[in-house]
Amino acid sequence: MPGSEWFKNRPRLLEGVYAGSKAALQLLYPLLKRVLPAGFTERVFVWSEEVSKGYLFNCQMCGQCILHSTGMTCPMNCPKNLRNGPCGGVRQNGHCEVIPEMPCVWVQAWRRDAQMGRYGGEIQLLQPPVNRALQNSSAWLNLLEGIDAQQPTGWSAIDLE
Amino acid sequence: MADPHHTSSAGEWESHGGESRLRQVLEAGHFAVTAELNAPDSADPKDVYANLTELGDVCDGINATDGSGANCHMSSVACCALMARAGYEPVLQMGCRDRNRIAIQGDLLGAAALGVRNVLCLTGDDVSAGDQPEARRVFDFDALHLLRTAQIMRDQGVLLSGRKLTTPPEFFLGAAANPFVPPQDLRHLRLAKKIEAGAQFIQTQYCYDVPVFEAFMRRARDMGLHEKVYLLVGVGPLRSERAAEFMRSRVPGVHIPDAVVDRLAKTPRKGKREEGIRICVEIIEAVKQIEGVHGVHIMAYRQEEAVPEIVERAGILREKPKG
């Protein structure tokens, strides 16, 4: 079993897995929803995300995953929770201002985004504020239900112009 | 120009009016000068005004820091309100470290009501940089969320929730840029995103490395960013090689090349202050020649008295219309 760094440095592989999982889940979800009790589905999803994404990405369970738009690197590992790129405090060795022994999440994210195919370049998208109410819920279910795409009314207003 | 911020009757503020004077200066094509006010550890307004006389005469805008370096000082909203009341042109620095989105929007409205027209939207230094590292860090928003939210309040006349504002704030919106830290080859992309989120002017981190800054500006120009935003380069005098060492090792995001530190180290003790000012003036003269640079932002921490001299020696002093 390779360590998670091995996977993290293969963003093309990870984006493929993401795209495949998304397609499969979108296909299967209507059926799952019909046969399984909602509470049970939620628990299974939360548990499997904690295990799989926890291992692969050090997932913080924000419930609104944007990994494919951030070089398959979890932005919630940034101590400042930045969703739109690195702060101005990055050290000259490329490490984090807050945790000196940790490489800056966003330096890694930008490098990996440049290696990606399908979703490469999405790192330039302006990400909306985090919905803190979704903390510890399943990002996959929020995606399938369209919950993670909901934005504050004011935020969406400007995009309609 | 009449001062639009005077009090009319017993403690009642005039309704805010007028637009950003900093913006007017930049739009007129002048080379703008802003400076940083050292927010006092005091409850006395006199301590805010103490350094202002010198800065006010040579600056088009004065920044009030928001708990810089994660150390507590008088709040930036209060410093800006006091400056506006006295006829200065304040630039409100607002970071995301200490307030959630509810407090941010409330402070933006309050600041606008008190006469603040310029807002510099920042992420903010982490709590661990300051003298109360045990504090909770907030970071509900990042700097781009803050920028876009201020833009929404101004242009759409609503809060983020969609609730309508009776009178929207008039803001000239700014953001920071730090071309001097990794990933240096991609920093222009962050600038582009900030412009997309609503930034109209930029004040950069301290520039002590002109070649790195030039490379950044070249990439920014290739994207046409220099035509979309007013960019003010951060500069500041170093008092000694010890001050330089302290800044580059302790202040997050400050990069000072060895050559600059060595130059100060080689200067005899009595001449160090002068040498620091000379380096600062040289940097201003160099960045002024770079296409897309619209001004400088002078951060002379505890050396405010040096600012007028720097401005004059760098040849960027301009007759100001008396406000």
Side-chain angles (χ1 to χ4, degrees):
Chain A
M1 191 75 175
S4 68
E5 285 306 311
W6 188 90
F7 286 108
K8 283 180 179 144
N9 288 321
R10 279 158 185 79
R12 273 194 97 104
L13 171 69
L14 290 171
E15 71 171 331
V17 172
Y18 167 77
S21 309
K22 186 177 167 187
L25 282 171
Q26 277 172 335
L27 198 70
L28 288 172
Y29 185 59
L31 179 72
L32 281 180
K33 213 174 159 180
R34 207 167 315 150
V35 297
L36 296 173
F40 175 78
T41 314
E42 168 86 25
R43 276 201 302 278
V44 170
F45 268 85
V46 166
W47 178 80
S48 37
E49 281 182 45
E50 274 171 356
V51 172
S52 63
K53 282 160 62 180
Y55 167 72
L56 283 172
F57 307 110
N58 199 20
C59 168
Q60 304 293 307
M61 297 299 289
C62 72
Q64 50 223 289
C65 197
I66 51 166
L67 274 167
H68 60 286
S69 301
T70 56
M72 300 307 289
T73 303
C74 174
M76 302 314 276
N77 279 279
C78 164
K80 298 184 183 178
N81 273 200
L82 303 185
R83 300 277 276 196
N84 282 295
C87 74
V90 182
R91 292 164 191 267
Q92 288 300 317
N93 63 358
H95 281 216
C96 173
E97 170 197 328
V98 185
I99 308 170
E101 58 279 9
M102 180 177 87
C104 167
V105 168
W106 278 99
V107 172
Q108 293 183 315
W110 266 355
R111 300 274 177 247
R112 290 170 183 159
D113 173 82
Q115 300 167 28
M116 284 165 60
R118 200 185 303 246
Y119 302 107
E122 280 202 9
I123 204 152
Q124 273 305 101
L125 296 176
L126 182 60
Q127 296 292 343
V130 179
N131 180 351
R132 307 285 170 183
L134 296 181
Q135 182 68 39
N136 296 325
S137 64
S138 159
W140 276 119
L141 286 182
N142 293 335
L143 172 87
L144 294 164
E145 293 284 351
I147 293 169
D148 68 343
Q150 290 167 8
Q151 289 165 9
T153 312
W155 188 271
S156 326
I158 208 154
D159 292 330
L160 299 175
E161 287 204 332
Chain B
M1 197 166 31
D3 170 21
H5 309 304
H6 69 277
T7 49
S8 54
S9 61
E12 189 188 324
W13 292 86
E14 286 274 287
S15 161
H16 65 72
E19 65 168 302
S20 159
R21 277 180 274 160
L22 175 61
R23 179 189 193 155
Q24 288 169 348
V25 165
L26 287 163
E27 279 178 354
H30 298 303
F31 192 81
V33 178
T34 58
E36 188 173 279
L37 170 81
N38 184 10
D41 297 334
S42 165
D44 189 341
K46 279 209 271 316
D47 293 320
V48 173
Y49 295 130
N51 290 317
L52 279 176
T53 14
E54 281 153 340
L55 298 181
D57 288 343
V58 295
C59 294
D60 301 302
I62 300 170
N63 286 44
T65 54
D66 181 18
S68 65
N71 292 306
C72 177
H73 306 291
M74 186 189 287
S75 79
S76 55
V77 172
C79 287
C80 285
L82 289 168
M83 282 196 269
R85 191 178 208 174
Y88 296 102
E89 176 75 355
V91 180
L92 173 72
Q93 296 197 182
M94 183 169 281
C96 300
R97 180 193 59 230
D98 304 327
R99 351 168 148 69
N100 70 6
R101 64 193 74 182
I102 299 171
I104 283 175
Q105 293 168 84
D107 276 351
L108 286 173
L109 285 180
L114 291 166
V116 175
R117 292 292 165 272
N118 313 295
V119 183
L120 185 74
C121 302
L122 305 164
T123 304
D125 297 324
D126 185 66
V127 293
S128 53
D131 61 1
Q132 300 185 66
E134 68 279 18
R136 173 180 289 233
R137 58 175 72 92
V138 180
F139 296 115
D140 185 28
F141 268 10
D142 64 26
L144 287 94
H145 299 145
L146 171 53
L147 267 172
R148 177 51 70 86
T149 298
Q151 189 194 38
I152 288 166
M153 290 169 70
R154 182 191 64 197
D155 297 345
Q156 311 289 316
V158 294
L159 295 166
L160 205 54
S161 65
R163 192 147 47 83
K164 228 173 143 25
L165 297 167
T166 315
T167 303
E170 282 289 328
F171 283 140
F172 184 43
L173 293 175
N178 191 353
F180 310 104
V181 293
Q184 289 171 349
D185 54 333
L186 297 173
R187 282 281 163 184
H188 59 291
L189 296 177
R190 173 99 167 139
L191 174 64
K193 210 168 174 179
K194 285 188 170 177
I195 294 169
E196 190 205 334
Q200 298 165 288
F201 72 95
I202 298 291
Q203 290 173 318
T204 77
Q205 182 54 279
Y206 283 109
C207 173
Y208 291 107
D209 196 333
V210 176
V212 168
F213 179 71
E214 266 180 322
F216 166 79
M217 286 306 293
R218 210 175 305 123
R219 285 187 281 263
R221 283 197 303 271
D222 287 345
M223 289 180 80
L225 301 180
H226 63 305
E227 285 165 353
K228 294 182 182 161
V229 79
Y230 297 108
L231 193 138
L232 282 68
V233 186
V235 294
L238 293 163
R239 248 177 311 182
S240 64
E241 71 277 14
R242 273 184 57 204
E245 277 301 348
F246 177 85
M247 275 176 58
R248 68 176 181 176
S249 57
R250 299 286 183 81
V251 184
V254 177
H255 159 64
I256 307 177
D258 293 338
V260 172
V261 183
D262 291 347
R263 200 172 139 183
L264 285 162
K266 278 186 199 129
T267 309
R269 217 170 87 193
K270 275 192 171 165
K272 285 192 201 292
R273 183 184 172 278
E274 161 61 22
E275 189 67 8
I277 289 173
R278 195 177 297 142
I279 292 171
C280 183
V281 168
E282 285 171 16
I283 290 171
I284 295 175
E285 284 166 344
V287 296
K288 205 181 150 191
Q289 308 301 322
I290 298 173
E291 193 190 348
V293 171
H294 301 89
V296 286
H297 176 53
I298 308 174
M299 295 171 277
Y301 181 65
R302 288 201 192 148
Q303 284 196 85
E304 282 83 358
E305 78 290 345
V307 173
E309 186 187 342
I310 292 168
V311 170
E312 194 163 345
R313 282 169 58 179
I316 51 176
L317 184 63
R318 210 177 62 247
E319 278 303 308
K320 302 270 183 320
K322 277 291 161 203

